[in-house]
């Protein structure tokens, strides 16, 4: 997930898509409104899980929860920073019940536990960590109160954080960008003026990706490897030239419901 540093990626929590997955929430940013196919989503999810296993991570696979069509998007339900957790109140009312199993799974492994308070709302998908700086998207899902509570949590842990307005056509900040390592930030070309990354260290290169590869800007870096979505040749070529080893995964069914690579995992040490 996007709050984890590279050394955090030892354990990963994932959850299979449920049979009700076709009813997952979507803005149709990346489709013409087609519903995702459950069986194909399951196959793509299995590949995602196998990738982490092959990379040597300890995978905790949670069972699907049928009453929550979006339950595979575990990233939104917990903000884990160096094994301290902030449990958000997520922005979509239909998704709030997904959190119980996540709380039960994560809590025993955390050094400290913090809770978002009303009227705060924040989704994990609105947080992008670049090295030791956190960028938090103000979006349809994350409000000022939720963001400010999460910023207090970060401040107490010694981290800087900044707020970025997420354009209204996008669900989350992670829908638009990612840092596959602490020196690279991928963003779509047309967001260059809107996404303002305050105080970004000079060592971080912002790479602008053509807008037709916006979905490809969401990646997961693990050591010198980077997981990218299949079909984004500019992203692939640029990251490959940077010396990263590329792992491509098919993501079409998750893309249909605004789900990116990072949305499907929660990492901790
Ligand atoms: N479909 C993912 C979400 O809306 O949270």
């Amino acid at each position: 997930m996007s709050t984890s540093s590279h050394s955090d990626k030892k354990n990963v929590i994932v959850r299979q898509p449920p049979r009700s997955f076709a009813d997952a929430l979507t803005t149709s940013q990346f489709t013409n409104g087609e519903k995702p196919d459950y069986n194909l989503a399951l196959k793509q999810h299995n590949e995602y899980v196998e990738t982490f296993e092959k990379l040597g991570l300890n995978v905790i696979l949670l069972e699907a929860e049928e009453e929550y069509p979006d339950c595979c998007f575990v990233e939104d339900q917990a903000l884990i920073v160096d094994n301290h957790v902030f449990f958000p109140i997520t922005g979509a009312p239909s998704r709030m019940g997904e959190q119980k199993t996540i709380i039960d799974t994560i809590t025993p492994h955390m050094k400290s536990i913090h809770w978002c308070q009303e009227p705060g709302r924040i989704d994990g998908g609105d947080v992008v960590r670049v090295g030791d700086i956190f960028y938090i998207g103000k979006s349809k899902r994350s409000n000022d109160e939720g963001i400010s509570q999460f910023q207090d949590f970060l401040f107490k842990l010694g981290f800087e954080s900044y707020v970025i307005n997420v354009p209204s056509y996008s669900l989350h900040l992670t829908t638009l960008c990612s840092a596959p390592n602490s020196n690279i930030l991928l963003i779509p070309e047309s967001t260059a003026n809107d996404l303002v990354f305050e105080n970004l260290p000079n060592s971080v290169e912002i790479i602008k990706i053509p807008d037709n590869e916006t979905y490809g800007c969401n990646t997961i870096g693990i050591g010198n490897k980077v997981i990218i979505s299949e079909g984004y040749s500019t992203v692939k070529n640029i990251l490959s030239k940077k010396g990263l080893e590329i792992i491509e995964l098919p993501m079409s069914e998750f893309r249909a419901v605004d789900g990116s690579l990072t949305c499907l995992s929660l990492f901790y040490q």
Side-chain angles (χ1 to χ4, degrees):
M1 84 168 183
S2 306
T3 52
S4 50
S5 69
H6 289 274
S7 59
D8 283 344
K9 290 180 177 134
K10 295 196 170 63
N11 301 285
V12 60
I13 295 173
V14 290
R15 174 150 52 198
Q16 285 187 327
R19 288 187 183 278
S20 56
F21 187 56
D23 297 324
L25 300 170
T26 184
T27 64
S28 299
Q29 180 182 351
F30 299 110
T31 63
N32 295 317
E34 304 90 358
K35 296 266 187 194
D37 177 87
Y38 165 71
N39 288 312
L40 186 51
L42 200 56
K43 186 168 178 284
Q44 293 180 346
H45 195 265
N46 286 343
E47 273 190 64
Y48 183 85
V49 170
E50 280 166 20
T51 300
F52 289 134
E53 286 169 347
K54 282 185 199 148
L55 290 172
L57 277 78
N58 176 41
V59 178
I60 298 111
L61 177 61
L62 303 180
E63 276 179 31
E65 294 189 72
E66 285 307 321
E67 63 274 45
Y68 301 114
D70 284 285
C71 67
C72 54
F73 300 122
V74 292
E75 173 184 57
D76 291 320
Q77 300 294 342
L79 290 153
I80 304 171
V81 178
D82 299 349
N83 277 24
H84 298 269
V85 65
F86 180 90
F87 285 115
I89 302 175
T90 51
S94 66
R95 298 198 53 197
M96 287 176 178
E98 294 169 27
Q99 202 174 41
K100 186 180 177 320
T101 41
I102 303 285
I103 294 169
D104 294 346
T105 308
I106 288 174
T107 299
H109 306 286
M110 294 295 111
K111 294 178 196 158
S112 70
I113 297 158
H114 308 258
W115 303 90
C116 187
Q117 306 295 329
E118 291 285 355
R121 292 288 181 276
I122 182 165
D123 278 10
D126 272 319
V127 182
V128 172
R129 179 175 185 165
V130 187
D132 280 340
I133 301 189
F134 288 75
Y135 295 96
I136 310 170
K138 184 175 170 187
S139 70
K140 293 186 207 72
R141 297 284 178 84
S142 301
N143 64 15
D144 288 329
E145 293 85 353
I147 291 171
S148 142
Q149 291 175 40
F150 181 57
Q151 287 191 290
D152 284 348
F153 163 83
L154 290 172
F155 181 76
K156 286 179 189 139
L157 292 175
F159 293 105
E160 275 178 62
S161 64
Y162 301 94
V163 181
I164 296 185
N165 287 316
V166 176
S168 58
Y169 57 81
S170 266
L171 177 63
H172 287 134
L173 186 60
T174 54
T175 315
L176 295 173
C177 60
S178 70
N181 65 28
S182 9
N183 299 316
I184 297 175
L185 187 57
L186 300 178
I187 63 165
E189 234 160 35
S190 64
T191 64
N193 293 329
D194 296 334
L195 299 185
V196 180
F197 291 87
E198 235 178 291
N199 238 6
L200 192 70
N202 291 334
S203 55
V204 181
E205 181 185 5
I206 296 186
I207 301 179
K208 294 177 196 154
I209 300 295
D211 287 343
N212 62 356
E213 293 197 24
T214 293
Y215 183 78
C217 290
N218 182 286
T219 63
I220 300 177
I222 299 184
N224 194 41
K225 300 187 171 61
V226 59
I227 305 174
I228 68 168
S229 296
E230 190 177 76
Y232 297 92
S233 56
T234 311
V235 173
K236 182 177 177 179
N237 292 337
I238 286 176
L239 294 182
S240 186
K241 280 188 191 139
K242 295 281 174 199
L244 293 169
E245 192 180 316
I246 309 289
I247 302 168
E248 268 184 290
L249 291 180
M251 286 288 288
S252 60
E253 304 318 290
F254 300 102
R255 182 178 55 214
V257 288
D258 299 328
S260 304
L261 285 161
T262 59
C263 306
L264 293 169
S265 45
L266 269 171
F267 295 96
Y268 64 94
Q269 292 171 13

